[in-house]
Amino acid sequence: MGVIPWVSWYALRRYSAYPLGSMAEAVTNTFFGVMRASVLLALWHARPGLGGYDAADAVTFSFLTQALIGPVQIFGGMELGQRIRTGDVAIDLHRPVDLQAWWLADDIGRATSTLLLRGVPPMLVGGLLFTLHWPGPGAAAAFAVSVVLAVLLSFALRYLVTLAMFWLHDERGIQAVALVLSLFLSGMIVPLVAFPGGIGDVARALPWSGLVQVPADVYLGHRTGGGLAAALGFQAAWAAGLLAAGRVLTRAAERRLEAQGG
């Protein structure tokens, strides 16, 4: 086994070490899924067909967002941030593995663990309490690809924010801004299809929409044929571009660390 798969495997084991804690988080996600489903049902009752969604789409979207909240780490940062603050990142830079590749592998293990332990329960409970849409085999496979791309995109965004600590030394301000952008522009609070006119067009064109809104549309079957290819291409293009930016910023951060540390 190569180094990168090894890092992902042990990250999966590490993040799965406390299943009861993960189940408690899943209960919380499910509770908020029920609350949000009730709010969205009221909204879609007042505005039927809003954004091309029906009421079942809206409710399914609610539980999907709660299932994806862990894998795409909407509320979380990265352990790398703490290591930059303490200076332990110098150890990471001496490993015979690229810094970005190491932490991407770690994040893949984390996302896999949270998807299995925290993503499944909200959907199961939602299916018992409400009428949800369930995808066919083709849509399910496309959704799986979209989730993988969402995880890569999430990592790319959080990695860039974390590396800013090399220059800012305190990430709280930029993390707060990143959290607000992630919450409102991903569709986590309200589906982006409910955003009016040009505001909705801009929100759907930004990378954060690839975290939640795009995977949800793929799951619900609102992206098929050429639309599906465009949706996955949108996620892949943003992920590739931001990962490339992360590599450039990593090199700049390494040079800054060398200049400071001698």
Side-chain angles (χ1 to χ4, degrees):
M1 180 182 292
V3 173
I4 296 304
W6 178 87
V7 173
S8 291
W9 170 244
Y10 277 91
L12 172 61
R13 294 181 59 184
R14 178 161 63 95
Y15 287 103
S16 303
Y18 300 98
L20 290 181
S22 296
M23 291 305 296
E25 293 173 331
V27 170
T28 302
N29 290 344
T30 303
F31 173 75
F32 279 101
V34 173
M35 290 183 58
R36 294 181 64 238
S38 301
V39 171
L40 291 182
L41 274 176
L43 174 60
W44 257 261
H45 178 73
R47 296 283 304 277
L50 178 62
Y53 278 20
D54 58 24
D57 286 337
V59 172
T60 304
F61 184 93
S62 174
F63 285 100
L64 270 176
T65 57
Q66 295 303 124
L68 290 173
I69 197 171
V72 300
Q73 197 79 332
I74 290 291
F75 291 101
M78 293 181 64
E79 185 181 342
L80 175 60
Q82 175 67 20
R83 297 183 68 81
I84 295 173
R85 186 183 304 110
T86 61
D88 289 340
V89 69
I91 300 173
D92 299 342
L93 292 172
H94 278 87
R95 293 189 180 117
V97 181
D98 178 78
L99 181 73
Q100 185 185 41
W102 177 283
W103 286 101
L104 175 57
D106 180 86
D107 204 59
I108 290 172
R110 178 205 58 78
T112 303
S113 171
T114 55
L115 180 63
L116 295 175
L117 295 176
R118 293 176 54 186
V120 175
M123 294 300 296
L124 294 179
V125 174
L128 292 174
L129 298 179
F130 299 90
T131 300
L132 302 186
H133 283 310
W134 299 100
F143 174 68
V145 174
S146 185
V147 169
V148 171
L149 292 173
V151 169
L152 293 176
L153 179 54
S154 168
F155 169 81
L157 287 165
R158 289 180 290 112
Y159 184 76
L160 286 173
V161 171
T162 301
L163 285 188
M165 287 184 60
F166 278 99
W167 290 268
L168 300 177
H169 307 298
D170 188 337
E171 83 281 16
R172 287 175 293 183
I174 193 170
Q175 288 283 10
V177 172
L179 174 60
V180 172
L181 292 173
S182 295
L183 284 173
F184 286 95
L185 296 179
S186 67
M188 180 59 65
I189 301 297
V190 177
L192 298 184
V193 296
F195 283 26
I199 296 176
D201 292 337
V202 171
R204 288 187 289 272
L206 295 173
W208 292 277
S209 67
L211 302 180
V212 173
Q213 184 66 54
V214 172
D217 281 343
V218 171
Y219 179 96
L220 294 170
H222 289 274
R223 301 292 187 98
T224 58
L228 175 59
L232 299 180
F234 170 84
Q235 289 180 289
W238 269 116
L242 292 173
L243 286 171
R247 293 197 67 81
V248 173
L249 200 60
T250 299
R251 299 293 176 258
E254 289 173 350
R255 289 193 295 271
R256 179 173 179 80
L257 188 63
E258 290 171 2
Q260 288 185 338

